[in-house]
Amino acid sequence: MEYHTEILIVGGGLGGVAAALAAGRRGHRVILASGHDRLGGQLTTQGVPPDEHPWIEMFGATASYRALRRAIRDYYRRHYPLIGRAQRDPYLNPGNAWVSRLAHEPRVAVQVINDLLAPLQASGNLAVWRGYHPTRVTADRDRVRAVTLTGAAGESLTVTADYVLDATELGDLLELGGVEYVAGAEAQAETGEPHARERADPLNQQGFTWVFAVEHRPGEDHTIERPAMYEFWRSYQAPFWPGPHLGWRYPHPITSKTVTARLDFDDPTQAYSGPVGRAPVPDDGVNFWTYRRILYGAHFDGDVRDIVIVNWPQNDYWLLPLVGVSEEARARASNEARQLSLCLLYWLQTEAPRPDGGTGFPGLRLHRETFGTPDGLAQEPYYREARRIRAEFVVREQDLSLEARGTEGPAKYADSVGVGAYRIDLHPSTGGDPYIDLDVWPFQIPLGALLPVRIENVLPAAKNIGTTHVTNGCFRLHPVEWNIGEAAGLLAAYCLERRLAPRQVRASADLMADFQRLLVSQGIELDWPEIHPL
C-alpha cells in the first residue's frame, strides 16, 4: 500500500516523539513509524533513566521536555501510593537515584508519551505506526521520494513525504537513502581534535549496553540458569581494566584510577536536595544499588520494593560494532551483549563478593515486569553512537571542551536551535579505546549540524547530527536528543509553511532570525545564561 504525508518520521525514540509533537502541533500531517510497540527509545525500550545537567529543573531544556518531566512526576502522584513527604516534593525522584534527578520506570514514560501524542492522533494530524522499520528508500538526485516500511509480519507500506526525518537509533535511513554520513572515529587530521585517533576507523564505535532491571528479595533464591557464555565473560579482562570484567573493580572514567563498587540495599543516602546541583559522585566505594534505582520503596506505602536498572560498567559491550557490518555480525554482537548482561546477573547471584565476607546475592530477582520481555532484558540495547550526517557544520571537540578553550567559553553559533550540557563521555570502544571523559562548557546546538551537505528533504532527529565521534559523547543524552528532534520537526514545518528549503533558512540572516523567533515562541532556549562550567 502507498501513503502520502507531509512529514514522515522514522524512529520512535525521544527525538522522533519530540519531532512529531512539534510538527503535529503546527497542524501538519505526520506519520511516526517506530520499530517497537513502545515509544521513547533510550527512556523506555532501552531503559535508561534521564541523564541530565545540574540546572535541568530551572533552565537548559525545551519547554516541552520540561512538560514531559512534570507529567512523569504527576503520574506517580496520581497513581502510586506516595507517602506525604514524597507526594509534596516538587522535585520528586521516584527512584531516588544519584545519577538522575528523575529516575523512573520505563512503563511510566511510555504512558506519558502516549498521553502527549493522543490529542494529535485524535485530530488526525498524527498517525503512529508501531512495529515498522525502514527497509528501502527511493531517492531521486538530491531528494528522498519514498520510504518503504516493513512490519513484523513482513507486510510493506510505502510512504511518500515532503520531509523525511531520521530518528532511528543508528541512523538507518542515512545508509538506505544514500545520505552522506560518517560512522565510527574520524582521523585527527580531519577534525583537528586533541582526542581523535591518528587514523580514521569507521568500525571504532562506542560500546553499547543491554540493560535489565532487578529487585532484591532477601531469603529467597532467584538464581537464573547459568548462561552459555559465562566462562568467557567470567574470565574476560580488557587491557585497560583492573581486573576481570565481572568484578567490583573498574577504571574511573575521568581519572582511570581503580574504583571499587558495592551493593548496599539499605543505603539511606538522599540523592538530591533542592532545584540546582548534582549528586556527589564518589571516587571509590560506589553503591550500584542507588546508582540507577528507578523505584525507591521508602517513597511509598505498602509492599513496594526497590527496582534497580543495571546499566553498569560491567555490562558495557565493546567487542564488536553494530554499524557497517553484516547482519550476521550484528546479530552476533547483539547476542554476545545479551549474554554479557545475563552473565553479570548470574555472577551477582552466585559469586559476587559480599560485605559480610560471603559470596552471591541469590535474592536478586530479574524484574521481568519492567520491560515485559521473555528474557527480562530491555527491548533493545542502549545505543550510544549512530551514523552521523556529513553536515554543513560539524561540532568538534575544540568548540566545547574546557581543555581546548580554557576560560574562553564555548563556541557561539548564530544559527543556534537549542542548548545542551553534558560531559564528553565516551565509553570504551570497539577499537580498543578506554574511557574518554572531558569537561565541556554548556553548549548550543547549531542548525548547520542538522543540514546534510547534499540531500534537501532529509533531516536528522536524534544522535545522527553533524558531530564527531568525540563530540557525539555529549550530544547523545535525553534532553539534547529531544531538543534536536523538536528543532527538526519545527524546521520541517517552517519550510512547508513558507515553501523554503532548510538550507535557505540558514543561509539568510533574516530567515534564520525569523525561524529562531518561532523556536523561542515554542519554548526552546537558544543560549545559556552566565553559569559555571560542569
Side-chain angles (χ1 to χ4, degrees):
M1 296 185 67
E2 294 189 1
Y3 298 82
H4 178 77
T5 188
E6 290 181 294
I7 301 171
L8 170 65
I9 302 167
V10 183
L14 288 177
V17 170
L21 284 169
R25 287 169 174 171
R26 297 287 296 175
H28 294 283
R29 289 178 291 113
V30 179
I31 293 174
L32 173 61
S34 171
H36 295 279
D37 59 336
R38 291 182 170 188
L39 302 177
Q42 60 180 315
L43 199 62
T44 58
T45 56
Q46 298 170 33
V48 182
D51 235 337
E52 299 163 331
H53 56 75
W55 312 280
I56 191 67
E57 306 292 357
M58 300 179 66
F59 50 79
T62 75
S64 63
Y65 183 77
R66 287 196 292 271
L68 170 73
R69 299 175 86 256
R70 285 195 302 272
I72 289 170
R73 284 178 169 141
D74 287 344
Y75 188 96
Y76 279 95
R77 294 185 182 109
R78 290 196 308 271
H79 299 289
Y80 279 65
L82 288 164
I83 61 173
R85 182 181 68 254
Q87 180 73 240
R88 295 187 299 270
D89 185 0
Y91 306 109
L92 172 66
N93 188 344
N96 193 30
W98 58 263
V99 76
S100 173
R101 291 181 167 277
L102 189 57
H104 61 277
E105 299 159 281
R107 70 165 72 89
V108 172
V110 170
Q111 294 292 335
V112 168
I113 287 170
N114 289 342
D115 290 347
L116 289 173
L117 294 175
L120 296 177
Q121 293 174 273
S123 72
N125 286 346
L126 173 65
V128 179
W129 295 356
R130 301 170 191 267
Y132 285 89
H133 62 278
T135 51
R136 185 168 180 264
V137 173
T138 302
D140 180 11
R141 296 183 182 180
D142 295 336
R143 297 186 68 83
V144 162
R145 298 299 180 186
V147 177
T148 299
L149 302 160
T150 301
E155 74 280 16
S156 292
L157 307 175
T158 297
V159 183
T160 59
D162 299 296
Y163 283 93
V164 178
L165 274 56
D166 183 355
T168 60
E169 295 297 332
L170 293 174
D172 295 334
L173 276 184
L174 305 183
E175 182 173 50
L176 290 170
V179 181
E180 291 81 359
Y181 70 86
V182 179
E186 301 92 342
Q188 191 176 65
E190 178 183 353
T191 68
E193 296 173 306
H195 288 85
R197 274 194 162 198
E198 183 179 352
R199 295 183 180 180
D201 184 358
L203 298 181
N204 184 21
Q205 300 159 21
Q206 277 196 78
F208 62 97
T209 307
W210 217 303
V211 169
F212 61 95
V214 293
E215 64 175 349
H216 185 232
R217 293 176 175 255
E220 299 180 13
D221 188 348
H222 294 277
T223 304
I224 63 171
E225 182 179 347
R226 183 184 176 99
M229 291 187 69
Y230 187 67
E231 282 305 317
F232 173 83
W233 286 117
R234 184 172 178 262
S235 59
Y236 173 76
Q237 181 177 353
F240 50 85
W241 217 257
H245 202 60
L246 299 185
W248 289 129
R249 299 167 72 241
Y250 65 96
H252 192 287
I254 301 174
T255 66
S256 297
K257 294 181 179 178
T258 297
V259 177
T260 302
R262 61 192 170 90
L263 280 187
D264 182 352
F265 304 114
D266 300 313
D267 186 350
T269 304
Q270 294 294 313
Y272 285 97
S273 178
V276 181
R278 64 191 308 168
V281 180
D283 290 331
D284 206 352
V286 173
N287 183 11
F288 277 154
W289 193 251
T290 57
Y291 180 35
R292 284 193 168 95
R293 182 172 53 197
I294 56 172
L295 203 65
Y296 179 44
H299 274 337
F300 306 93
D301 283 328
D303 184 22
V304 179
R305 292 183 175 88
D306 289 4
I307 301 175
V308 169
I309 287 290
V310 179
N311 174 19
W312 301 348
Q314 291 89 339
N315 61 327
D316 276 3
Y317 174 87
W318 57 70
L319 295 190
L320 295 170
L322 290 173
V323 171
V325 297
S326 66
E327 285 297 319
E328 293 77 12
R330 185 171 172 176
R332 178 184 170 189
S334 295
N335 179 64
E336 290 183 358
R338 298 174 78 95
Q339 278 286 307
L340 172 55
S341 287
L342 292 171
C343 289
L344 173 57
L345 174 60
Y346 185 78
W347 176 82
L348 289 167
Q349 292 171 327
T350 61
E351 294 193 67
R354 299 196 308 258
D356 64 5
T359 56
F361 300 92
L364 280 178
R365 174 182 172 269
L366 182 60
H367 198 269
R368 300 175 187 275
E369 297 81 0
T370 290
F371 295 109
T373 56
D375 63 3
L377 303 186
Q379 286 190 323
E380 63 179 342
Y382 174 34
Y383 303 107
R384 294 185 177 87
E385 185 171 345
R387 300 172 182 88
R388 307 177 299 279
I389 64 166
R390 287 200 178 274
E392 284 196 357
F393 180 83
V394 178
V395 181
R396 294 174 168 83
E397 177 187 346
Q398 52 269 40
D399 296 332
L400 307 176
S401 79
L402 268 67
E403 181 179 310
R405 302 190 67 84
T407 59
E408 183 182 356
K412 294 292 186 180
Y413 306 122
D415 63 341
S416 173
V417 294
V419 296
Y422 197 76
R423 302 174 63 83
I424 287 176
D425 173 15
L426 298 181
H427 285 232
S429 72
T430 55
D433 295 334
Y435 290 104
I436 299 175
D437 198 305
L438 307 171
D439 282 319
V440 301
W441 287 92
F443 50 84
Q444 296 172 307
I445 304 168
L447 177 59
L450 275 67
L451 301 180
V453 292
R454 180 180 60 86
I455 298 292
E456 297 291 347
N457 68 330
V458 172
L459 296 171
K463 298 184 290 289
N464 50 352
I465 68 169
T467 59
T468 65
H469 171 72
V470 174
T471 56
N472 162 76
C474 60
F475 277 79
R476 63 180 173 81
L477 276 301
H478 304 66
V480 180
E481 182 186 356
W482 182 279
N483 194 151
I484 290 167
E486 188 169 358
L490 287 172
L491 179 62
Y494 182 86
C495 289
L496 282 168
E497 292 159 12
R498 289 159 179 78
R499 297 185 179 180
L500 296 168
R503 69 182 79 256
Q504 288 179 283
V505 177
R506 183 171 184 256
S508 165
D510 289 342
L511 289 174
M512 190 68 228
D514 189 48
F515 178 56
Q516 288 174 322
R517 283 191 287 272
L518 170 63
L519 296 176
V520 172
S521 74
Q522 300 302 302
I524 296 179
E525 300 170 14
L526 303 182
D527 201 359
W528 288 87
E530 291 295 326
I531 54 178
H532 296 292
L534 294 176

